[in-house]
Amino acid sequence: MVDGKLINTDGGFAGEWGHAPALASAAGHPPIAIPIFDCGCGQRGCVDTVGGARGLERLHATVHDKSLSSHEVIEAWQNGDEEAARTIDIFVDLVSSPLALVVNITGATIIPVGGGLSNSEALLAEIDGTVRGRILRQFDRPLVVRGECRLEPGLIGAALLGFGGKVA
């Protein structure tokens, strides 16, 4: 959105920051090699391959050879589990750099996050702090926040496009 108007052109792909082969080949502190995963969009190495709940699970399985749900990884992390903490460190590192790039390019002043991972305030705070540490403009408030539109945001966005992309 810019000046209260939805920015979208032919194809409807504006804002799809997760679908570009921009995933780092190493991440975490200290960094470890990250495989290039195939993406459902047909490309390889998209941020989307690790940026959501399934991606968090994929990272944990890749790094620790253990299958846990995203909820289990987050709960273990919050309970001080070292393996889960390492997975979260890598996840936050991988997601934060492309988000910071988006902010620096577009001048975005808020990054609403949806999906199941947005239910973890601690995870959003980690991502927010890392993104804010990697951008040029400094904010004294959270930049990465839980999206307010919790019910069918894609459908609502499509409806807005149908009405000319104007928001009251």
Side-chain angles (χ1 to χ4, degrees):
M1 306 267 319
V2 175
D3 293 329
K5 295 179 185 155
L6 183 64
I7 303 302
N8 215 329
T9 59
D10 294 341
F13 297 112
E16 280 292 343
W17 71 275
H19 290 288
L23 193 60
S25 60
H29 304 91
I32 64 165
I34 302 297
I36 296 174
F37 300 109
D38 290 333
C39 185
C41 74
Q43 298 187 90
R44 294 176 44 84
C46 292
V47 177
D48 194 61
T49 63
V50 297
R54 302 300 76 81
L56 180 61
E57 294 164 1
R58 178 181 291 127
L59 281 175
H60 193 75
T62 299
V63 174
H64 303 293
D65 199 27
K66 292 181 182 175
S67 294
L68 292 178
S69 73
S70 59
H71 297 287
E72 292 170 324
V73 173
I74 291 171
E75 184 178 339
W77 167 58
Q78 291 178 317
N79 289 327
D81 180 84
E82 288 183 26
E83 288 183 349
R86 180 72 166 138
T87 300
I88 295 295
D89 173 57
I90 294 165
F91 176 84
V92 169
D93 193 23
L94 285 170
V95 171
S96 296
S97 288
L99 273 176
L101 179 63
V102 167
V103 171
N104 283 339
I105 289 172
T106 66
T109 58
I110 190 167
I111 302 170
V113 178
L117 295 181
S118 69
N119 293 321
S120 173
E121 290 181 26
L123 181 59
L124 288 183
E126 284 290 317
I127 296 168
D128 178 64
T130 303
V131 169
R132 288 194 293 140
R134 295 179 181 181
I135 60 175
L136 298 174
R137 180 179 177 191
Q138 296 303 302
F139 292 85
D140 59 356
R141 58 166 177 76
L143 175 64
V144 179
V145 298
R146 183 178 178 189
E148 290 184 19
C149 183
R150 305 298 296 164
L151 182 63
E152 300 294 345
L155 185 59
I156 292 169
L160 284 171
L161 280 176
F163 288 113
K166 297 186 182 189
V167 178

